[in-house]
Amino acid sequence: MTEDDQEPAGESSLLAVSDLHVGYQENRAIVEELKPATPGDWLLVAGDVGERLADIEWALRLLAARFERVIWVPGNHELWTPPADPQELRGVARYDHLVRLCRSLGIGNPEDAYPVWEGAGGPVRIVPLFLLYDYTFLPPGHHTKESALEYAHGTGVVCTDEYLLHPDPYPSREAWCRDRVELTEARLAELDDVPLVFVNHYPLVREPTDILWYPEFAQWCGTTATRQWHRRHRTAAMIYGHLHIPRVTWYDGVRFEEVSLGYPREWKRRSGTRRLLREVLPQ
């Protein structure tokens, strides 16, 4: 998979990608080839760049040097504390470290001011989100987190977050999620009427997870607390990843686009050609 079908240089574009997973050599080779089509292109990175801090820094540094502006949000993999990572940062400390890294590279992130894209399709305000999940995307037939987790463990479909994504100093991942949602809602309430492009690792609504082969995995894919955000705010597009199922769907007239690369075993199975960097504001 390459960018061999990039369009000729012209008007600058707002582009998006996610789930680069550069710990895989095949994916790392793809990232090494990613380049803007025009000097003014912006790139939105919707999480899961990698797991090890050194790999994440390598990829973000490379992209920041090539694109006019890069805006990043964390996925669950960036927040893991993998045993092989020399820096054993956990929870909020790990996230804060990544925010400092982004700032040192000039990369936008959920803690900074929301920038406005003035290029083709604009103006739109880019809203990078860090919200996590709270186990409210329950599989059919289950009404509590405890029941859903028991079911998942019984089927063997359990997200690695349960072992490597630590919420410290919060007592739980859902408590961390609740705090992030409240903080973000307060920021959104202060915005003007410029249309928004939401960028989050997870979809803001439950419906995109209905396509999952294993419905028990949905509980690690978002929160019902954001169900009305794309309707409550003037929304141009909602960009997400995590599911490794790149596609476009529409909810209440708003385009939701999953922009992931995914694991080599996944993208190698996809038929046909697909441009990896997706245009956020298609004409």
Side-chain angles (χ1 to χ4, degrees), residues 255-281:
R255 193 176 97 259
F256 279 57
E257 185 157 2
E258 211 274 14
V259 296
S260 63
L261 171 59
Y263 302 132
R265 67 177 184 271
E266 295 167 329
W267 58 256
K268 287 179 179 179
R269 290 199 305 261
R270 293 173 193 150
S271 60
T273 59
R274 171 185 173 269
R275 187 169 182 234
L276 177 56
L277 302 184
R278 311 306 295 171
E279 290 198 17
V280 174
L281 302 171

Side-chain angles (χ1 to χ4, degrees), residues 34-271:
L34 291 182
K35 296 180 177 67
T38 72
D41 288 353
W42 286 22
L43 180 63
L44 311 179
V45 182
D48 276 9
V49 172
E51 295 82 31
R52 296 176 65 253
L53 292 175
D55 288 339
I56 298 167
E57 180 174 356
W58 170 83
L60 291 180
R61 186 178 296 277
L62 181 149
L63 295 173
R66 293 181 177 177
F67 290 83
E68 176 70 19
R69 186 156 194 182
V70 175
I71 298 171
W72 164 88
V73 301
N76 54 315
H77 283 235
E78 281 105 336
L79 300 175
W80 286 359
T81 306
D85 197 329
Q87 300 192 54
E88 298 181 354
L89 295 172
R90 294 164 61 107
V92 173
R94 189 173 183 88
Y95 173 63
D96 287 346
H97 175 88
L98 291 166
V99 169
R100 289 192 297 271
L101 169 64
C102 285
R103 287 172 171 167
S104 74
L105 298 173
I107 292 175
N109 62 84
E111 302 311 305
D112 292 342
Y114 302 146
V116 174
W117 164 260
E118 299 279 4
V124 295
R125 189 176 302 279
I126 312 301
V127 179
L129 302 171
F130 169 43
L131 304 174
L132 276 173
Y133 52 84
D134 60 2
Y135 302 90
T136 52
F137 287 2
L138 295 169
H142 297 270
H143 305 286
T144 66
K145 170 190 172 183
E146 292 73 22
S147 174
L149 281 176
E150 182 180 3
Y151 172 61
H153 280 278
T155 64
V157 179
V158 179
C159 185
T160 305
D161 292 6
E162 294 297 310
Y163 311 103
L164 297 182
L165 201 167
H166 307 289
D168 311 21
Y170 290 92
S172 63
R173 284 176 284 276
E174 56 264 46
W176 194 2
C177 173
R178 184 164 54 250
D179 189 62
R180 293 298 311 183
V181 167
E182 291 176 358
L183 180 153
T184 306
E185 284 183 325
R187 293 185 67 184
L188 291 174
E190 297 176 353
L191 296 181
D192 55 24
D193 197 39
V194 174
L196 306 182
V197 171
F198 284 111
V199 187
N200 192 39
H201 187 56
Y202 311 100
L204 293 182
V205 298
R206 166 68 184 268
E207 286 86 343
T209 69
D210 291 343
I211 199 174
L212 291 172
W213 286 1
Y214 302 102
E216 55 268 46
F217 191 76
Q219 61 193 298
W220 293 283
C221 295
T223 169
T224 57
T226 61
R227 179 66 184 90
Q228 298 298 323
W229 284 17
H230 68 292
R231 298 180 62 187
R232 188 179 304 153
H233 304 280
R234 189 180 172 198
T235 305
M238 197 276 128
I239 303 300
Y240 68 100
H242 189 56
L243 304 185
H244 295 192
I245 307 173
R247 62 176 182 148
V248 175
T249 52
W250 295 79
Y251 306 103
D252 306 300
V254 175
R255 193 176 97 259
F256 279 57
E257 185 157 2
E258 211 274 14
V259 296
S260 63
L261 171 59
Y263 302 132
R265 67 177 184 271
E266 295 167 329
W267 58 256
K268 287 179 179 179
R269 290 199 305 261
R270 293 173 193 150
S271 60

